Amino acid sequence: AATPAQPAATASAAATSTQAEIATQAAATTEATPAPAATSPSSAPAVPRVLNGNGTLVASALTFGDSSSHVNVSRDLDTAVHDTFAVGVSEFARQNKGTEKNVDGSSIGYHWPSAGANGFSLIATKSAIFVYVPQSVLDTLHLSLNDTSVQQALLDLLSTLDAETAHGGQLLSSLHVPVFFTTASELAYENYTYSFAKKQGDTIYLACKHASKAESADGALFSEVGVLTPKSDIAFAEKPSGIAALGAFLQTVDFDPLWVSLRTTGVAIIFIFLIGLITAWATIRVSSKWKGLLDTIFTIPMVLPPTVCGFLLLLLFGDTTSVGRWLAAQGIEIVFTWQAAVISCVVVGFPMMYRTVRGAFENLDASMLDAARTLGWSERRVFLRLMLPLAWPSIAAGTVLAFARAMGEFGCTLFFAGNYAGITQTIPIAIYFDWMSGKTDEAMFWVIVVILISFLVIFIINAYSARTQRYRKTAGD
């Protein structure tokens, strides 16, 4: 065996030695423990021993170069063909996570579902990559794993598909470890037994199992499965590029999170605006004894973690409190509804509005307000005709900031309103769940949308502030 950095001559010698050794052991199907893999470029790692089956095992020094120019990938990222190879890959899937749950009451180790009896599989570990192809498939396709051109073409196909479907995981091409090709359904390597066609009930699994430990997840990084298919039998829509790729992507995007965010935040900002103005005006009018307490209550959602706010709202409106039971008796459901998403936005956005407006009101000239009162103006008239116009730049800034904060709310909304597509799934929630489900492109799209919205919000605030300053300067002159 050789690392990808070895010369071709060394790789060829290693492969020849490997085949000779395995040919002797395959008939006996005996188990042996290999020595640790060598890391020096001048030495080859020990060959895994074949436990079952009569397949050959080939350790080869292959390169993970830029194969994108030779490989075409389908739009669905599950099919690929090679320019110079008569066989392509279909039904491809990368499986970043497996499971150690028992199957039919039995433990088979850390495992993933396979692509079926005629499917190939790949298991990547920290010290080796194993590629398994059933001998019957090779015979049908007239291929040999001893052919280095076949090995390289398979690696080109797999590494290209892997790069498209890794979704932030470790790339196959980044693993600088030996690549082993085998037709054996089971082999041992570094205290682990790797099974590529483990049939349990009606399902075939890939699995790795430690020789002595109960948990085996450390024996593998990820797996990949698929089916080798003659290129002439593969028909797929080629993955578009450039503007065509953008257009195709936008056609597949579900814009519901955007509409839910705009609708939820639009309704919430009305309540935030009105409640923020009233509470700010009322707070500056109360005695200092109560002002500190009220200010703390109105401001605390700003410093609390959003999940704490969501939890408290869940308790308040849930069935465990008198408020929640009364609402349920009236047939009103709040928890995990669109109304809950609005309430979440109001709670987290309100402090931004309140603090900004209160600061603006406190900075007004108190003597001017008192002069208006001595002229017979009512408090209502003082508020509408003096306080609001004079504090309007700050009020507008607070409104925009509160809108942006409500638009970006995640923790409170998820906790209190849940994640229901088209109902409570806002953009931040969509980003999280798209990323968790491997939809990196969709998550990145929504990240860009949020950045653009944030940029627009800041631009509006700065433009309005600059315009206000110019107006005041002109009026002063």
Side-chain angles (χ1 to χ4, degrees), residues 6 14 27 35 50 89 104 107 109 142 153 175 177 188 191 199 206 232 288 314 342 348 368 418 428 449 453:
Q6 285 182 294
V50 176
V89 172
D104 295 336
S107 173
H142 306 291
L175 299 174
V177 296
N191 297 322
K199 189 170 184 180
L206 289 72
S232 58
S288 57
L314 194 61
V342 173
V348 299
M368 179 178 58
V449 170
I453 293 175

Side-chain angles (χ1 to χ4, degrees), residues 393-406:
S394 297
I395 294 173
T399 304
V400 176
L401 288 174
F403 180 88
R405 178 64 186 89

Side-chain angles (χ1 to χ4, degrees), residues 355-364 387 390-395:
R355 295 293 301 181
T356 305
V357 175
R358 182 191 161 185
F361 285 165
E362 289 178 337
N363 287 328
L364 294 178
M387 297 180 69
L390 292 174
W392 183 250
S394 297
I395 294 173

Side-chain angles (χ1 to χ4, degrees), residues 177-443:
V177 296
V179 181
F180 295 99
F181 291 83
T182 183
T183 58
S185 60
E186 193 172 80
L187 56 88
Y189 188 74
E190 295 185 344
N191 297 322
Y192 288 92
T193 298
Y194 294 93
S195 303
F196 303 97
K198 188 80 172 180
K199 189 170 184 180
Q200 199 78 6
D202 297 329
T203 307
I204 299 176
Y205 296 94
L206 289 72
C208 73
K209 190 173 180 64
H210 195 274
S212 58
K213 295 181 180 179
E215 296 183 356
S216 305
D218 289 340
L221 299 174
F222 58 87
S223 72
E224 297 176 352
V225 297
V227 177
L228 294 180
T229 308
K231 187 161 63 172
S232 58
D233 295 341
I234 294 178
F236 67 94
E238 188 172 340
K239 183 182 177 183
S241 59
I243 299 299
L246 178 60
F249 171 76
L250 292 178
Q251 290 179 356
T252 63
V253 172
D254 181 6
F255 285 95
D256 280 347
L258 176 61
W259 311 135
V260 170
S261 293
L262 292 176
R263 183 179 61 174
T264 302
T265 310
V267 173
I269 201 63
I270 297 175
F271 290 97
I272 291 173
F273 180 84
L274 295 176
I275 298 174
L277 286 178
I278 294 172
T279 53
W281 177 73
T283 302
I284 64 173
R285 291 173 56 81
V286 300
S287 63
S288 57
K289 176 181 178 181
W290 296 102
K291 184 179 295 185
L293 177 62
L294 291 175
D295 185 66
T296 301
I297 294 174
F298 295 149
T299 307
I300 197 169
M302 181 185 293
V303 296
L304 283 178
T307 50
V308 173
C309 295
F311 179 73
L312 293 175
L313 289 173
L314 194 61
L315 289 180
L316 177 62
F317 292 98
D319 295 337
T320 58
T321 64
S322 56
V323 175
R325 288 192 293 269
W326 182 83
L327 290 173
Q330 308 305 314
I332 301 174
E333 294 184 4
I334 299 295
V335 179
F336 301 136
T337 63
W338 178 73
Q339 290 80 2
V342 173
I343 294 173
S344 300
C345 291
V346 171
V347 169
V348 299
F350 162 77
M352 302 290 292
M353 182 70 179
Y354 163 75
R355 295 293 301 181
T356 305
V357 175
R358 182 191 161 185
F361 285 165
E362 289 178 337
N363 287 328
L364 294 178
D365 187 353
S367 60
M368 179 178 58
L369 301 180
D370 291 337
R373 294 186 182 98
T374 60
L375 294 175
W377 284 27
S378 65
E379 290 297 329
R380 178 174 176 272
R381 189 178 182 186
V382 169
F383 178 73
L384 295 176
R385 300 293 298 276
L386 278 180
M387 297 180 69
L388 280 185
L390 292 174
W392 183 250
S394 297
I395 294 173
T399 304
V400 176
L401 288 174
F403 180 88
R405 178 64 186 89
M407 174 73 80
E409 169 50 31
F410 171 75
C412 185
T413 304
L414 182 60
F415 218 110
F416 184 42
N419 174 41
Y420 296 96
I423 302 175
T424 65
Q425 188 185 67
T426 58
I427 291 179
I429 295 177
I431 292 173
Y432 175 76
F433 283 97
D434 282 345
W435 173 256
M436 291 298 293
S437 60
K439 299 178 181 178
T440 309
D441 292 341
E442 286 83 349

Side-chain angles (χ1 to χ4, degrees), residues 45-286:
V47 178
R49 309 302 189 186
V50 176
L51 301 181
N52 296 305
N54 295 317
T56 59
L57 183 68
V58 180
S60 190
L62 301 174
T63 59
F64 287 99
D66 182 12
S67 58
S68 58
S69 60
H70 304 291
V71 177
N72 295 318
V73 179
S74 69
R75 179 178 299 176
D76 297 330
L77 306 180
D78 62 353
T79 305
V81 293
H82 198 288
D83 290 346
T84 61
F85 192 46
V87 175
V89 172
S90 60
E91 301 179 35
F92 176 85
R94 169 169 166 147
Q95 302 173 122
N96 288 324
K97 294 293 183 181
T99 180
E100 298 208 54
K101 293 182 179 179
N102 290 349
V103 179
D104 295 336
S106 301
S107 173
I108 63 173
Y110 189 65
H111 59 277
W112 314 260
S114 75
N118 295 322
F120 72 85
S121 55
L122 177 151
I123 296 180
T125 75
K126 297 177 182 178
S127 57
I129 297 171
F130 302 108
V131 181
Y132 163 76
V133 184
Q135 185 61 52
S136 59
V137 173
L138 294 172
D139 294 340
T140 301
L141 298 174
H142 306 291
L143 299 176
S144 172
L145 286 185
N146 296 321
D147 188 340
T148 55
S149 65
V150 172
Q151 298 171 14
Q152 188 65 62
L154 287 176
L155 204 59
D156 287 345
L157 289 165
L158 294 179
S159 61
T160 303
L161 284 166
D162 175 85
E164 295 285 354
T165 58
H167 301 310
Q170 187 167 10
L171 294 177
L172 184 65
S173 58
S174 69
L175 299 174
H176 302 293
V177 296
V179 181
F180 295 99
F181 291 83
T182 183
T183 58
S185 60
E186 193 172 80
L187 56 88
Y189 188 74
E190 295 185 344
N191 297 322
Y192 288 92
T193 298
Y194 294 93
S195 303
F196 303 97
K198 188 80 172 180
K199 189 170 184 180
Q200 199 78 6
D202 297 329
T203 307
I204 299 176
Y205 296 94
L206 289 72
C208 73
K209 190 173 180 64
H210 195 274
S212 58
K213 295 181 180 179
E215 296 183 356
S216 305
D218 289 340
L221 299 174
F222 58 87
S223 72
E224 297 176 352
V225 297
V227 177
L228 294 180
T229 308
K231 187 161 63 172
S232 58
D233 295 341
I234 294 178
F236 67 94
E238 188 172 340
K239 183 182 177 183
S241 59
I243 299 299
L246 178 60
F249 171 76
L250 292 178
Q251 290 179 356
T252 63
V253 172
D254 181 6
F255 285 95
D256 280 347
L258 176 61
W259 311 135
V260 170
S261 293
L262 292 176
R263 183 179 61 174
T264 302
T265 310
V267 173
I269 201 63
I270 297 175
F271 290 97
I272 291 173
F273 180 84
L274 295 176
I275 298 174
L277 286 178
I278 294 172
T279 53
W281 177 73
T283 302
I284 64 173
R285 291 173 56 81
V286 300

